[in-house]
Amino acid sequence: MKKNTLYNPINSFFDFTDLELNPPGKLIVRNLSDMALMYQDIEMVDKILENDDPMIYRFYNVKVPETKGHLQHCISMIFPGKIGKEYYMTKGHFHEIKDTGEVYLTLRGKGKMVMQTAEGDVDIKNMKEGTLTYVPPYWAHRSINTGKQPLVLFAAFRGDAGHNYGIIEEKGMKKIIVEEDGKPVIKNNPRYID
Amino acid sequence: MKKNTLYNPINSFFDFTDLELNPPGKLIVRNLSDMALMYQDIEMVDKILENDDPMIYRFYNVKVPETKGHLQHCISMIFPGKIGKEYYMTKGHFHEIKDTGEVYLTLRGKGKMVMQTAEGDVDIKNMKEGTLTYVPPYWAHRSINTGKQPLVLFAAFRGDAGHNYGIIEEKGMKKIIVEEDGKPVIKNNPRYID
């Protein structure tokens, strides 16, 4: 090993009270306006955006080289709320290098991980504190907060995995999660075209 | 992608009350007799082993293919205790593929991550609930419980990383963590030979 390839260990501390990582690394924030077209209820999106642009989720990415020997890791939190009947969720992504997995550990809150392959396989897992959710290679994935508190997740993935948001931004996912009678229900996405 | 390479998502649940993972995946248990030669106080080790063989740590590994697109992940717990003045610790390891990192998240308890490269660089990080500890490629690492409760860690690493325990089993690490006046203190390992 060449000395100049050595990367030093990093400690980051997540504070469960203020929900911040210190040092914050790279903080990415998604407000409703960043994903307005991803929700079903377009009229409700427009109505909300007239007065406000609520934060849907944010994540703190520890700064690590984007190479295949390293592991990117982050703390993400999806806030509680709905757009119409549909729960707050992440944009969802494939990895650019599709043959790379990702592992999630739920630290607080409750929700669902909605997953889908390019061939149309679907899998949905429930998440609560203590749940390890393994998203294997080739599965696109989106986290959804179905609870009343922030859904706080730790995630790790290969340094060079990359994110591909485009396909889901264009097509959505086959399944959506909506609230009916106060409970989360899995529905077919009426706008999804195979 | 060939259909037969598709691996399905996995959910595992860690119960913080009984400290068990369900499903348990592959459970690995290390008792004192599995690492008797790694502690400084040989007489104390012999004395303890006359009557007992205490569990020092155990970890639950979720069953995932050992290939470079997957991510191995586990929950490990190091129990509180000392052998003489030296705190309970893991055996410590390099990865077989040395150019692969590992990330730890502390879920309960407190401790230290002791790290060392083949060239002799040393780094030691403190861990408590909410600490993300990134062990970059090329760093051997050992977890040490300096608290009075189990130190519970989540860890993730590349599927094909592998473990190399041999070098540390033979040589130990440069630094040891002992209790003095009720507090953890970092000391040079008197048995370590460069």
Side-chain angles (χ1 to χ4, degrees):
Chain A
M1 176 192 53
K2 283 182 196 147
K3 199 69 186 173
N4 61 10
T5 65
L6 189 65
Y7 195 80
N8 286 328
I10 307 171
N11 244 16
S12 313
F13 177 68
F14 184 70
D15 187 322
F16 285 100
T17 306
D18 63 13
L19 300 180
E20 290 181 3
L21 189 70
N22 189 2
K26 186 178 178 186
L27 170 62
I28 295 178
V29 176
R30 307 284 192 207
N31 293 318
L32 178 57
S33 62
D34 297 315
M35 50 188 304
L37 297 176
M38 303 185 100
Y39 289 94
Q40 297 295 313
D41 192 338
I42 303 287
E43 284 179 29
M44 181 61 77
V45 168
D46 287 344
K47 193 176 157 195
I48 293 170
L49 289 177
E50 276 175 24
N51 303 304
D52 192 17
D53 189 7
M55 191 188 296
I56 307 293
Y57 66 105
R58 71 166 183 251
F59 53 100
Y60 295 91
N61 247 83
V62 176
K63 285 183 183 169
V64 164
E66 294 184 0
T67 63
K68 70 179 194 295
H70 283 278
L71 287 175
Q72 302 284 335
H73 52 288
C74 67
I75 298 270
S76 67
M77 68 209 70
I78 301 103
F79 294 98
K82 286 175 293 171
I83 305 297
K85 294 167 66 179
E86 203 175 6
Y87 294 100
Y88 280 17
M89 61 189 180
T90 62
K91 293 173 82 166
H93 62 273
F94 281 97
H95 291 155
E96 270 179 47
I97 298 178
K98 288 191 179 181
D99 182 14
T100 56
E102 183 158 350
V103 60
Y104 287 80
L105 170 60
T106 305
L107 302 175
R108 295 287 188 274
K110 54 189 264 194
K112 289 184 189 288
M113 183 72 74
V114 176
M115 292 166 279
Q116 179 176 328
T117 67
E119 285 72 22
D121 309 83
V122 169
D123 200 330
I124 299 174
K125 300 293 189 203
N126 291 321
M127 302 189 290
K128 63 177 179 177
E129 187 178 341
T131 304
L132 281 60
T133 303
Y134 182 55
V135 181
Y138 301 111
W139 289 86
H141 44 287
R142 163 181 281 170
S143 314
I144 296 173
N145 186 347
T146 59
K148 303 209 180 299
Q149 304 298 325
L151 174 63
V152 182
L153 305 170
F154 171 80
F157 49 100
R158 214 172 78 185
D160 60 344
H163 289 75
N164 178 348
Y165 295 103
I167 298 169
I168 295 172
E169 238 159 8
E170 286 163 30
K171 291 191 59 170
M173 293 185 88
K174 287 173 99 168
K175 301 290 180 182
I176 60 172
I177 312 291
V178 299
E179 187 174 274
E180 285 191 356
D181 302 324
K183 288 187 180 166
V185 178
I186 300 165
K187 296 270 185 186
N188 288 323
N189 178 354
R191 281 164 30 195
Y192 189 85
I193 300 158
D194 253 323
Chain B
M1 177 191 52
K2 285 182 194 148
K3 198 70 185 170
N4 60 11
T5 64
L6 190 65
Y7 195 80
N8 285 328
I10 307 171
N11 243 15
S12 314
F13 177 68
F14 184 70
D15 186 323
F16 285 100
T17 307
D18 63 14
L19 300 180
E20 290 181 3
L21 190 70
N22 189 2
K26 185 178 178 185
L27 170 61
I28 295 178
V29 176
R30 307 284 193 206
N31 295 318
L32 179 55
S33 62
D34 296 316
M35 51 188 305
L37 297 176
M38 303 184 99
Y39 289 94
Q40 297 294 314
D41 192 337
I42 303 287
E43 284 178 30
M44 182 61 77
V45 168
D46 287 343
K47 193 176 156 194
I48 294 169
L49 288 177
E50 277 175 24
N51 304 301
D52 192 18
D53 189 8
M55 190 188 295
I56 306 293
Y57 65 105
R58 71 166 184 253
F59 53 102
Y60 295 90
N61 247 83
V62 175
K63 285 182 182 171
V64 164
E66 295 184 1
T67 63
K68 70 179 193 295
H70 283 278
L71 287 176
Q72 302 286 335
H73 52 288
C74 67
I75 299 270
S76 67
M77 68 209 69
I78 301 101
F79 293 97
K82 285 176 293 170
I83 305 296
K85 294 167 66 178
E86 204 175 5
Y87 294 99
Y88 280 17
M89 61 188 182
T90 62
K91 291 173 82 167
H93 62 273
F94 282 96
H95 291 154
E96 270 178 49
I97 298 177
K98 288 191 178 181
D99 182 15
T100 56
E102 182 158 351
V103 59
Y104 286 80
L105 170 60
T106 304
L107 303 174
R108 295 289 188 273
K110 55 189 263 192
K112 289 183 189 287
M113 183 72 75
V114 176
M115 291 165 278
Q116 179 175 329
T117 68
E119 286 73 22
D121 308 84
V122 169
D123 200 330
I124 298 174
K125 299 295 189 203
N126 292 321
M127 303 189 290
K128 63 177 179 176
E129 187 177 341
T131 304
L132 282 59
T133 303
Y134 182 54
V135 181
Y138 301 110
W139 290 87
H141 43 289
R142 161 180 283 168
S143 313
I144 295 173
N145 186 345
T146 59
K148 303 210 178 302
Q149 305 297 324
L151 174 64
V152 182
L153 306 169
F154 172 80
F157 50 100
R158 214 172 78 185
D160 61 343
H163 289 75
N164 178 350
Y165 295 103
I167 298 168
I168 295 171
E169 239 159 5
E170 287 163 30
K171 292 191 57 171
M173 294 185 87
K174 286 172 99 167
K175 300 290 180 182
I176 60 173
I177 312 292
V178 298
E179 187 173 275
E180 286 190 356
D181 301 324
K183 288 187 179 164
V185 178
I186 300 166
K187 295 272 185 183
N188 288 323
N189 179 353
R191 279 164 33 193
Y192 190 83
I193 300 158
D194 253 323

